[in-house]
Amino acid sequence: MTVVREEVDVVVVGGGPGGSSAATLLAKSGSRVIQLEQEQFPRYQIGESLLPSTIHGVCRLLGVDKKLHEAGFMHKRGGSFRWGKNPVPWNFLFAISPEFAGDASYAYQVERMKFDNILLEHSAECGVDVRQRSRVTGVAKNADGRVDRVQYVDADGGEHEITAKFVVDASGNKTRLSRHAGADRVYSEHFQNVAIFGYFEGGKRFDAPDTGNILCAAFDEGWMWYIPLSDTLTSVGAVIAKSHAAKALGDTEASLHGFIDRCTIVKDMLSDATRVTEGTYGEVRVRQDYSYANTRFWGNGMVLVGDAACFIDPVFSTGVHLATYSAVLAARSINSVLRGELSEERAFGEFEGRYRREYAVFYEFLSAFYDMEQSEDSYFWKARKVTNFDRDDMAAFVSLVAGGFSQEDALTDPDAVIAKFSASTQALTEAAEKTGGMDTDSGQRMKHMFNTPVVRDVMEEMNAFQARGAGGLIEPPLLDGGLVPSADGLAWAEPAPVIA
């Protein structure tokens, strides 16, 4: 059989939000891009709760924000939690932060098969050569060890080989390509979770305007999500420790309902609901969400984005955020190198530094957040007592999430991280204890929540990115000695010299 051979600037492997975001921004900069997707869209995917920075930052930069608005997705103003010492649920609202005020104070709850398809179709409209039902079978390297060819089989069984200057691996957590970047996957010992989830019709909703809020509720063996996808359809899942999952996965239907029965608030929300048993949403699914990070995010002509690079526990809906954010960083770096403006080391140093920093901040945030739970008789919560780590454990954590790359004290000094965890945990616990029920003015009473240091750190880069999407913000360097986004947001630039 004859192998069809082609040559482009960049091959993007994967049609999810990370792949489509990277491909679109590369095409907008004038690169010739082929995007390969194994499945035929629309296809099912989990990860339905988004963050404002994705909608008002990344998607505005992509030019797809109006299409998302027209799609009619459920608006998400924030989150509702039954967590920590206080048995009464409490809210956080995006509008509390000044950068998210006004028109940008919401995100979406989305059916991913619809959301991802919009982004993939937009990628094609922006000039990307999108090829679905194209299964990547391998890569090849040149004499210097650089990946410069991608091999795939099309829907008819035809064999292809594409030569490219860069390969973006956005093929998800099951990637087989990331090792070619010189990367090894390192799993976190402290967030080894399994999710069991399904879909329900007729579940209850919170009072307006909080109807679209995600609900996260802790119980003795883990926590549950409750995501309203429409006026009637709800995504419901239990996140439990690996040790519990081994006993529960034999009968997933019974396991899911058993966890619902042990989580009082979710059980009440579903009291009049029925589980969807037919069609796309008719299956009870399982995903092993073991948090991990690769030892390298780029190398040998390859760039890893989204779940191909790292993943973290989903309690704060960070999956699509990290995927699309990393895609922007990757596209800026590739564009800068292809334009001849920066060396690979300089451009991708910024990519990896910012990406690892974002992952590390969320890791700290989630660690502190889990430490708020006081049900210590359960193994699930004992395993997450981050402030009880000894120094060797914390040193391993620092190596995992930062690698010393960013040269920030909080990431290179384990003792400093331990102290910061303790302060963050106490601040979050006090914030939760001060909140009350689900009334509509709860946002005003959550201001102190957004004033806690760990939350400010989490929001910092998202806020800056969203503000840039909204109004062309001129950003200072995020990293010591680092770069800044170019005026069009599609590449990197050296910061302007400071005039005394």
Side-chain angles (χ1 to χ4, degrees):
M1 181 179 293
T2 302
V3 177
V4 178
R5 304 183 189 279
E6 303 169 83
E7 183 173 351
V8 295
D9 295 313
V10 185
V11 173
V12 176
V13 181
S20 292
S21 297
T24 297
L25 296 176
L26 290 165
K28 280 180 174 286
S29 188
S31 293
R32 296 167 298 155
V33 184
I34 291 177
Q35 184 177 5
L36 304 175
E37 166 54 43
Q38 178 172 290
E39 300 185 54
Q40 178 67 49
F41 277 39
R43 57 86 178 98
Y44 174 81
Q45 185 59 274
I46 191 62
E48 299 137 328
S49 196
L50 306 186
L51 299 181
S53 59
T54 300
I55 302 304
H56 306 291
V58 176
C59 290
R60 187 168 296 182
L61 185 61
L62 297 175
V64 75
D65 50 315
K66 291 182 179 179
K67 295 178 184 177
L68 296 177
H69 174 74
E70 293 168 355
F73 292 123
M74 177 72 76
H75 278 222
K76 170 188 174 183
R77 299 175 67 245
S80 302
F81 288 85
R82 211 314 299 158
W83 207 276
K85 291 181 179 179
N86 192 341
V88 180
W90 46 271
N91 287 359
F92 77 87
L93 299 178
F94 297 127
I96 297 302
S97 177
E99 291 84 355
F100 289 91
D103 293 339
S105 62
Y106 68 91
Y108 295 125
Q109 314 282 22
V110 299
E111 295 180 68
R112 282 287 302 277
M113 60 190 301
K114 297 178 181 178
F115 175 79
D116 292 10
N117 193 53
I118 290 172
L119 264 59
L120 187 66
E121 289 182 345
H122 183 72
S123 177
E125 291 170 5
C126 290
V128 176
D129 184 349
V130 175
R131 302 179 183 180
Q132 301 186 60
R133 299 177 64 193
S134 297
R135 179 175 55 89
V136 173
T137 56
V139 299
K141 300 178 181 180
N142 62 19
D144 297 325
R146 184 183 180 90
V147 173
D148 65 350
R149 283 156 289 162
V150 175
Q151 295 128 1
Y152 80 94
V153 176
D154 65 28
D156 298 320
E159 297 182 1
H160 299 253
E161 183 173 82
I162 309 170
T163 300
K165 300 181 179 69
F166 286 98
V167 176
V168 176
D169 181 9
S171 58
N173 67 321
K174 295 181 180 179
T175 176
R176 297 181 180 179
L177 302 179
S178 59
R179 61 185 177 86
H180 295 291
D184 295 319
R185 182 176 291 187
V186 181
Y187 289 93
S188 167
E189 296 180 3
H190 310 290
F191 290 114
Q192 295 188 13
N193 300 337
V194 173
I196 305 175
F197 51 96
Y199 296 81
F200 291 77
E201 279 284 344
K204 295 179 183 177
R205 298 288 181 260
F206 297 132
D207 292 337
D210 297 330
T211 306
N213 276 15
I214 183 174
L215 167 65
C216 295
F219 66 108
D220 56 352
E221 293 174 274
W223 64 272
M224 298 203 71
W225 76 69
Y226 186 96
I227 303 174
L229 298 177
S230 72
D231 290 340
T232 60
L233 182 66
T234 307
S235 172
V236 179
V239 178
I240 56 176
K242 180 181 177 182
S243 59
H244 292 304
K247 305 173 185 177
L249 297 183
D251 186 340
T252 54
E253 174 85 19
S255 296
L256 177 59
H257 284 284
F259 293 131
I260 290 171
D261 287 342
R262 291 194 287 280
C263 187
T264 304
I265 187 171
V266 172
K267 181 180 180 181
D268 177 69
M269 297 289 282
L270 293 174
S271 59
D272 299 322
T274 57
R275 191 179 74 79
V276 178
T277 57
E278 297 180 352
T280 301
Y281 298 120
E283 179 184 348
V284 175
R285 292 176 165 91
V286 176
R287 175 163 178 187
Q288 296 184 357
D289 281 333
Y290 296 157
S291 299
Y292 56 84
N294 280 303
T295 53
R296 296 193 68 182
F297 289 170
W298 71 282
N300 304 327
M302 292 196 63
V303 189
L304 313 182
V305 304
D307 291 2
C310 58
F311 183 84
I312 196 165
D313 182 279
V315 68
F316 268 88
S317 308
T318 54
V320 175
H321 163 69
L322 287 173
T324 56
Y325 174 66
S326 63
V328 173
L329 302 180
R332 287 173 176 171
S333 298
I334 293 172
N335 287 336
S336 297
V337 174
L338 292 180
R339 292 175 182 180
E341 297 170 349
L342 293 170
S343 68
E344 285 196 15
E345 289 73 19
R346 183 73 169 131
F348 288 104
E350 187 72 20
F351 160 77
E352 181 143 356
R354 286 187 180 233
Y355 196 1
R356 287 197 181 276
R357 179 185 182 277
E358 192 76 351
Y359 181 90
V361 169
F362 272 111
Y363 195 108
E364 179 191 340
F365 185 22
L366 290 163
S367 299
F369 198 74
Y370 270 118
D371 197 41
M372 289 167 58
E373 176 58 49
Q374 301 301 312
S375 301
E376 296 187 24
D377 290 338
S378 167
Y379 172 81
F380 183 85
W381 300 109
K382 282 184 178 179
R384 286 150 180 78
K385 290 293 291 182
V386 179
T387 53
N388 287 342
F389 287 0
D390 62 31
R391 196 179 193 287
D392 290 341
D393 289 336
M394 188 55 67
F397 153 71
V398 172
S399 176
L400 167 67
V401 299
F405 187 90
S406 69
Q407 299 182 348
E408 297 180 37
D409 290 342
L411 298 181
T412 56
D413 182 351
D415 294 326
V417 177
I418 292 172
K420 194 172 183 182
F421 275 162
S422 299
S424 297
T425 299
Q426 182 62 31
L428 281 167
T429 301
E430 291 175 355
E433 288 175 340
K434 292 177 183 177
T435 60
M438 311 294 286
D439 54 11
T440 57
D441 68 348
S442 59
Q444 294 300 314
R445 295 183 291 103
M446 281 303 294
K447 285 185 177 180
H448 51 276
M449 180 73 171
F450 276 84
N451 284 331
T452 59
V454 68
V455 177
R456 287 202 304 269
D457 285 349
V458 168
M459 305 303 285
E460 180 180 282
E461 175 68 349
M462 288 196 297
N463 288 349
F465 197 86
Q466 177 162 314
R468 163 172 280 276
L473 175 72
I474 299 176
E475 302 171 32
L478 184 67
L479 307 175
D480 185 23
L483 302 167
V484 297
S486 60
D488 61 7
L490 299 178
W492 298 117
E494 295 289 352
V498 178
I499 300 176

